[in-house]
Amino acid sequence: MKKAYQDRAREELLELQAELEQRYKEVKKMGFQLDMSRGKPGISQLNSIMGMMDVLDSQSDYQTEEGFDSRNYGAMDGILEAKRLMADIMGTTPEKVVVYGNSSLSIMYDSISRCYTHGVTKDSVPWCKLERVKWLCPAPGYDRHFAITERFGIEMIVIPMREDGPDMDQIERLVAEDESIKGIWCVPKYSNPQGISYSDSVVRRMAALKPKAADFRIYWDNAYAVHDLDPKHPVKILDILSACEEAGNPDLVYEFASTSKISFSGAGIAAMAASEKNLKEIREQLGIMTIGYDKINQLRHVRYFKNLEGVCRQMEVHAELIRPKFNAVLEILEEELGGLEIGTWTKPLGGYFISFEAMEGCAQKIVAKCREAGVIMTKAGATYPYGNDPKDTNIRIAPTFPTLEEITETAKLFALCVKLVSVEKLLEK
Amino acid sequence: MKKAYQDRAREELLELQAELEQRYKEVKKMGFQLDMSRGKPGISQLNSIMGMMDVLDSQSDYQTEEGFDSRNYGAMDGILEAKRLMADIMGTTPEKVVVYGNSSLSIMYDSISRCYTHGVTKDSVPWCKLERVKWLCPAPGYDRHFAITERFGIEMIVIPMREDGPDMDQIERLVAEDESIKGIWCVPKYSNPQGISYSDSVVRRMAALKPKAADFRIYWDNAYAVHDLDPKHPVKILDILSACEEAGNPDLVYEFASTSKISFSGAGIAAMAASEKNLKEIREQLGIMTIGYDKINQLRHVRYFKNLEGVCRQMEVHAELIRPKFNAVLEILEEELGGLEIGTWTKPLGGYFISFEAMEGCAQKIVAKCREAGVIMTKAGATYPYGNDPKDTNIRIAPTFPTLEEITETAKLFALCVKLVSVEKLLEK
């Protein structure tokens, strides 16, 4: 059992510091160069999906199930077979789904932009005409969500994350009393960055919210719906659309998903699911902004995966490829930092991240130390609205993109930086 | 030489009417079913590009020129080789270009939406904060342009079209005196629906505009940049970006183009070109709304076409396929309506449409008669802002999608309907 840093005498810490600094110097000389700031699939994951590039060629049939020529204009809200596939991934039904281009982030941006310019529904006030609009942001969370709401001048309120989802007591209270709160960001399964999955109770309470604002919507970014690290024992979350219907709140939620981390990051397909009433407003905007999305790519996805089982087979391959990377990081963190009481970290069952909690006031310095040694991590603070992590503790680790060898070396460097900064911190006292 | 309808005696017209009605009855029995409401490529055009589906397969190299893995996230504003290709199509340079997804219409929508929510530049007022925003709409024009400005509550002012572009005298006067005019829709080459190309003088006067509003922009939809019906004698228009620079107005224009009518309608690539200052504002929005567009499809286009010559070869094939359709319509119009003085029509050198001018107050009735007989044309009025053609004369004919046989029969039906409605009109007097 290692001795916690905080229980060590000053001289011990000074000695340790000298030793760590020496090691850091040596590591720096090795000249690492690695950008692991984003949750990007690794090259081996991309290589594992290349068969998709062979299902459509010059000899293929490009007719959709419903008889559309996928090469021409039309089918504005997606081809039926792609709606079915995306519905299966989200756990909902095809008639609730619109299939877009390659980016679910763009759908979310468009959605907020639409509400800002035209209102959530025809009978609600466009947000640009309101004094203030507020948004609930479970944090740590996804920086790109926060960037969208920030861009529209929406005031973001931090909601703490619990082990089974965001703090529902706070959320229920806030939305019931404040009409200016118009939405909440949620990553319900394997949340970014903590890998937390919402319990059935959290999903049901979310679906049963009684917001003061009639135009309040849950932005349910189901980004990791099938991204289990152990596909034989997937975490299952409730279908939010059904839960909302059961709670008498059918229009409360917009759900989003994409195949960016199933097929190709950037050349996947993305979708939104919502109630018929919500879809009516959405289709009205769509009908002005486009004649239709890339249906050939939609068809390519369906022809390759065929159905949800096909998707799950691909996700098993991914799991085989990325589980060793997650395990390597977790083992090194345990080996290097276990018992030292200078940090805690999540052990996710899926998704793309490990979330690390450093000692207070240490996250920025740790990330800076890593960068100085050639490893770019996600900016400290990025996981909180306005990039402001109030205690400066959270660091997002993205193990998927580097090779196993690289991630192993990086995790060691990271642990070293954590130790170094923590010792400095303790010596300040 | 046929006798003009207006010179015929009432009895003659009554006799003619009876005869035309008899023929119309017979034609209706034939049970036509054809939707030619949109400018869609024909199946033979789509078949002629299928080789593009073979250039990328599971064995291909997906690295871009600059070393990006086109299968992964990144390269937000497009891959360099695609910028070069789209720049060549637009007649500009790659550093001025951003490559997007499949739809240039979406880029235009996003652009207007961005100006509405955030202003054209950081130091200009977002349009949603202004009392009124106005827009110049050369008409007849493209209905989907007008639909975008209408959606944002922008007041549209009709500008008459001349033989070499919109009425520049009016435009110069209006933009100089009215600060609430923030933009103009232009289709500078083979305009939709008249097929008019802007003369050098019009382009130069456009580039030299002195708008009262600093945030006025020309929306230059170069949709038919390489869409010549006689590719050996293409119409050449000036590069608007250079013209603006020369006039000391480098930031005055946003240019748009896509390959929707070169490769696949719906699975092409689209681009925008603008000055460095404009691109800065645009990239700022892009950085929030997406991680990047479909780079595999960008790469597919470049690998297939290689360069502008490759694009032009494809357009020669298109010209061979659609010229006979345009000619068939023009011949039938001449044969059936020549000398009758009940309509005029354009004889375009490129683009996707023939524009027909009926007698005043007849366009809606003609389109209705066609529909009654099973042929859906573009809605009369659609070519004017708010769907309101003040004289009810303009009809857009889209010959590309039907087969040669279908378009021949349709043109005959159309001519019959024109005659029938015109006779009725003359008998009303």
Side-chain angles (χ1 to χ4, degrees):
Chain A
M1 186 63 184
K2 284 185 238 172
K3 195 173 173 186
Y5 275 18
Q6 60 193 18
D7 297 336
R8 300 191 189 186
R10 191 169 175 83
E11 309 83 75
E12 271 182 280
L13 288 177
L14 282 168
E15 198 178 318
L16 179 60
Q17 188 181 31
E19 184 196 316
L20 293 168
E21 267 169 3
Q22 182 56 36
R23 270 176 54 204
Y24 182 69
K25 237 182 243 171
E26 283 157 22
V27 170
K28 262 201 339 195
K29 272 190 213 143
M30 291 165 65
F32 269 123
Q33 269 213 328
L34 187 65
D35 185 344
M36 54 180 290
S37 60
R38 311 278 353 154
K40 286 166 74 166
I43 289 167
S44 57
Q45 286 170 271
L46 298 170
N47 288 342
S48 75
I49 186 76
M50 294 313 292
M52 182 180 280
M53 298 310 290
D54 293 331
V55 293
L56 290 183
D57 62 23
S58 60
Q59 304 307 311
S60 305
D61 172 18
Y62 286 81
Q63 290 287 111
T64 72
E65 259 180 46
E66 294 181 298
F68 286 110
D69 186 338
S70 64
R71 306 169 304 170
N72 216 329
Y73 289 122
M76 177 189 78
D77 69 354
I79 63 175
L80 178 58
E81 45 269 65
K83 288 182 187 175
R84 195 183 300 124
L85 186 72
M86 294 309 295
D88 285 348
I89 289 173
M90 290 187 271
T92 182
T93 46
E95 77 280 1
K96 293 201 173 71
V97 174
V98 171
V99 187
Y100 292 73
N102 69 324
S103 162
S104 56
L105 196 71
S106 296
I107 312 178
M108 295 179 231
Y109 184 100
D110 284 349
S111 179
I112 288 188
S113 186
R114 176 181 63 80
C115 299
Y116 188 86
T117 58
H118 288 81
V120 175
T121 63
K122 238 180 287 310
D123 40 303
S124 66
V125 182
W127 298 345
C128 65
K129 305 291 181 205
L130 296 176
E131 265 307 289
R132 61 203 312 197
V133 174
K134 296 181 199 158
W135 206 270
L136 303 183
C137 299
Y142 180 30
D143 55 346
R144 286 182 170 276
H145 285 163
F146 304 150
I148 294 175
T149 26
E150 184 173 359
R151 176 159 172 93
F152 285 91
I154 295 170
E155 197 179 314
M156 295 184 276
I157 301 166
V158 172
I159 301 292
M161 285 294 287
R162 307 282 175 229
E163 277 191 5
D164 67 340
D167 183 336
M168 290 308 301
D169 293 341
Q170 272 205 38
I171 293 170
E172 284 166 349
R173 188 174 47 73
L174 284 166
V175 302
E177 70 190 18
D178 189 345
E179 203 179 349
S180 64
I181 297 176
K182 301 299 187 191
I184 181 170
W185 289 119
C186 294
V187 182
K189 186 170 168 180
Y190 305 139
S191 72
N192 175 349
Q194 294 171 298
I196 287 169
S197 296
Y198 292 13
S199 68
D200 291 357
S201 153
V202 163
V203 177
R204 286 212 182 86
R205 286 175 73 180
M206 200 69 84
L209 285 177
K210 298 280 169 254
K212 195 163 182 195
D215 56 350
F216 174 92
R217 292 291 181 275
I218 300 166
Y219 278 60
W220 195 257
D221 183 3
N222 206 346
Y224 306 107
V226 290
H227 302 61
D228 311 291
L229 280 169
D230 181 0
K232 292 208 171 53
H233 304 94
V235 168
K236 283 188 178 147
I237 59 163
L238 287 183
D239 168 27
I240 184 73
L241 281 155
S242 308
C244 285
E245 279 168 22
E246 282 157 25
N249 272 337
D251 305 321
L252 194 66
V253 68
Y254 297 149
E255 182 171 6
F256 308 91
S258 83
T259 68
S260 293
K261 292 183 183 88
I262 299 173
S263 58
F264 296 106
S265 303
I269 59 176
M272 179 167 181
S275 71
E276 188 49 41
K277 194 182 158 202
N278 284 332
L279 285 186
K280 200 170 163 278
E281 306 275 349
I282 288 156
R283 286 201 187 97
E284 208 163 283
Q285 178 194 30
L286 269 190
I288 308 286
M289 74 187 285
T290 188
I291 305 176
Y293 292 95
D294 185 341
K295 295 183 297 297
I296 291 185
N297 203 32
Q298 293 178 15
L299 193 67
R300 181 181 288 117
H301 276 72
V302 179
R303 293 274 171 90
Y304 183 70
F305 287 128
K306 293 193 175 67
N307 49 36
L308 184 60
E309 287 78 62
V311 170
C312 291
R313 266 195 302 279
Q314 175 63 21
M315 297 317 287
E316 281 174 33
V317 175
H318 278 202
E320 290 295 322
L321 292 168
I322 66 178
R323 201 167 45 227
K325 299 181 184 181
F326 276 80
N327 287 342
V329 174
L330 293 171
E331 276 162 28
I332 289 161
L333 291 179
E334 188 54 43
E335 205 175 290
E336 297 286 331
L337 305 179
L340 301 183
E341 295 181 19
I342 54 174
T344 60
W345 54 91
T346 56
K347 294 166 191 69
L349 301 172
Y352 262 60
F353 303 103
I354 292 166
S355 180
F356 187 86
E357 287 289 320
M359 291 169 63
E360 269 197 50
C362 289
Q364 289 201 23
K365 284 179 190 150
I366 293 168
V367 170
K369 277 272 177 230
C370 289
R371 178 181 278 262
E372 203 187 317
V375 172
I376 301 170
M377 320 252 330
T378 307
K379 231 178 128 205
T383 54
Y384 279 79
Y386 310 107
N388 176 26
D389 175 358
K391 296 185 175 167
D392 185 27
T393 58
N394 188 253
I395 299 172
R396 186 178 83 166
I397 302 172
T400 52
F401 184 67
T403 62
L404 184 58
E405 202 185 331
E406 285 169 336
I407 191 69
T408 305
E409 292 310 308
T410 305
K412 285 180 190 163
L413 168 67
F414 176 75
L416 176 60
C417 295
V418 172
K419 287 179 188 172
L420 202 49
V421 171
S422 304
V423 168
E424 277 166 17
K425 177 82 184 174
L426 288 165
L427 283 170
E428 273 172 22
K429 283 183 186 169
Chain B
M1 188 66 186
K2 284 184 240 172
K3 194 172 171 187
Y5 275 18
Q6 59 194 19
D7 298 336
R8 300 191 189 187
R10 191 169 176 83
E11 309 84 76
E12 272 182 278
L13 287 176
L14 282 168
E15 199 177 318
L16 179 62
Q17 187 181 32
E19 184 196 315
L20 292 168
E21 266 169 5
Q22 183 55 35
R23 270 176 53 204
Y24 182 70
K25 237 184 241 169
E26 283 158 22
V27 170
K28 263 201 340 194
K29 272 191 212 142
M30 291 164 65
F32 269 122
Q33 268 212 328
L34 186 65
D35 185 342
M36 53 180 290
S37 60
R38 311 279 350 155
K40 287 166 73 168
I43 290 167
S44 56
Q45 285 171 271
L46 298 169
N47 288 343
S48 75
I49 186 76
M50 294 314 292
M52 182 180 279
M53 299 309 290
D54 293 332
V55 293
L56 290 182
D57 62 23
S58 61
Q59 305 307 310
S60 305
D61 172 17
Y62 286 82
Q63 291 286 112
T64 71
E65 258 180 45
E66 295 181 297
F68 287 109
D69 187 337
S70 64
R71 306 168 305 170
N72 215 329
Y73 289 122
M76 177 189 80
D77 69 354
I79 64 175
L80 178 59
E81 46 268 65
K83 287 182 189 176
R84 195 183 300 125
L85 186 71
M86 295 309 295
D88 285 348
I89 289 173
M90 290 187 271
T92 183
T93 47
E95 77 280 0
K96 293 202 174 67
V97 174
V98 171
V99 188
Y100 292 72
N102 69 325
S103 161
S104 56
L105 196 72
S106 296
I107 312 177
M108 296 178 229
Y109 184 99
D110 284 350
S111 179
I112 288 188
S113 186
R114 176 180 64 79
C115 299
Y116 189 85
T117 58
H118 288 80
V120 175
T121 63
K122 238 181 287 311
D123 40 303
S124 65
V125 183
W127 299 344
C128 67
K129 305 292 181 204
L130 296 176
E131 265 308 289
R132 60 201 315 196
V133 174
K134 296 182 199 159
W135 206 270
L136 304 185
C137 299
Y142 182 29
D143 55 345
R144 286 181 172 274
H145 285 163
F146 304 151
I148 294 175
T149 25
E150 183 173 1
R151 176 158 171 94
F152 285 91
I154 295 170
E155 199 179 313
M156 295 182 277
I157 301 166
V158 172
I159 302 292
M161 285 294 287
R162 306 283 175 228
E163 277 192 7
D164 67 341
D167 182 336
M168 289 308 301
D169 293 341
Q170 271 204 40
I171 293 172
E172 284 166 347
R173 187 175 46 75
L174 285 166
V175 302
E177 69 189 21
D178 189 345
E179 202 179 350
S180 65
I181 298 176
K182 302 299 188 189
I184 181 170
W185 289 120
C186 294
V187 181
K189 186 171 168 180
Y190 305 138
S191 72
N192 176 348
Q194 293 171 298
I196 288 169
S197 297
Y198 292 13
S199 66
D200 292 357
S201 151
V202 163
V203 176
R204 287 213 182 88
R205 287 176 73 180
M206 199 69 85
L209 285 176
K210 298 280 168 252
K212 193 161 185 194
D215 57 349
F216 174 92
R217 292 291 180 274
I218 299 166
Y219 278 59
W220 195 258
D221 184 2
N222 205 346
Y224 306 107
V226 290
H227 302 62
D228 311 291
L229 279 170
D230 180 1
K232 291 207 173 53
H233 304 94
V235 168
K236 283 186 181 152
I237 59 163
L238 286 183
D239 168 27
I240 184 74
L241 281 155
S242 308
C244 284
E245 279 168 24
E246 282 158 23
N249 271 337
D251 306 321
L252 193 68
V253 68
Y254 297 150
E255 181 170 6
F256 309 90
S258 83
T259 69
S260 293
K261 292 184 182 88
I262 299 173
S263 58
F264 296 106
S265 303
I269 59 175
M272 178 167 181
S275 72
E276 187 49 42
K277 193 181 158 204
N278 283 332
L279 286 185
K280 200 170 163 279
E281 306 275 350
I282 289 156
R283 287 202 187 96
E284 208 164 281
Q285 177 193 32
L286 269 190
I288 308 286
M289 75 187 285
T290 188
I291 306 177
Y293 291 94
D294 185 339
K295 294 183 296 298
I296 291 185
N297 203 32
Q298 292 179 15
L299 193 67
R300 182 181 289 116
H301 277 71
V302 178
R303 292 275 170 90
Y304 183 70
F305 288 127
K306 291 191 177 67
N307 49 38
L308 183 60
E309 285 78 64
V311 170
C312 290
R313 266 194 301 278
Q314 176 64 23
M315 297 317 286
E316 282 174 32
V317 176
H318 278 200
E320 290 295 320
L321 292 167
I322 66 180
R323 201 169 42 228
K325 299 181 183 179
F326 276 80
N327 287 341
V329 174
L330 293 171
E331 277 163 28
I332 290 160
L333 291 179
E334 187 53 45
E335 205 175 290
E336 297 286 331
L337 305 179
L340 301 183
E341 296 181 20
I342 55 175
T344 60
W345 53 92
T346 57
K347 294 165 191 69
L349 301 173
Y352 263 58
F353 304 103
I354 292 166
S355 181
F356 187 87
E357 288 288 321
M359 290 169 66
E360 270 198 50
C362 288
Q364 290 200 23
K365 283 180 193 151
I366 293 168
V367 170
K369 277 273 176 228
C370 288
R371 178 181 280 263
E372 204 188 317
V375 172
I376 301 172
M377 320 252 328
T378 307
K379 231 179 127 207
T383 53
Y384 280 79
Y386 310 106
N388 176 26
D389 175 358
K391 296 185 176 166
D392 186 26
T393 58
N394 188 251
I395 299 173
R396 186 177 81 167
I397 302 172
T400 53
F401 184 67
T403 62
L404 184 58
E405 202 186 331
E406 284 169 336
I407 191 69
T408 305
E409 293 308 308
T410 305
K412 287 180 191 161
L413 168 67
F414 176 75
L416 175 61
C417 294
V418 171
K419 289 180 188 172
L420 203 48
V421 172
S422 304
V423 168
E424 277 167 17
K425 177 82 183 173
L426 288 166
L427 284 169
E428 274 171 20
K429 285 183 185 167

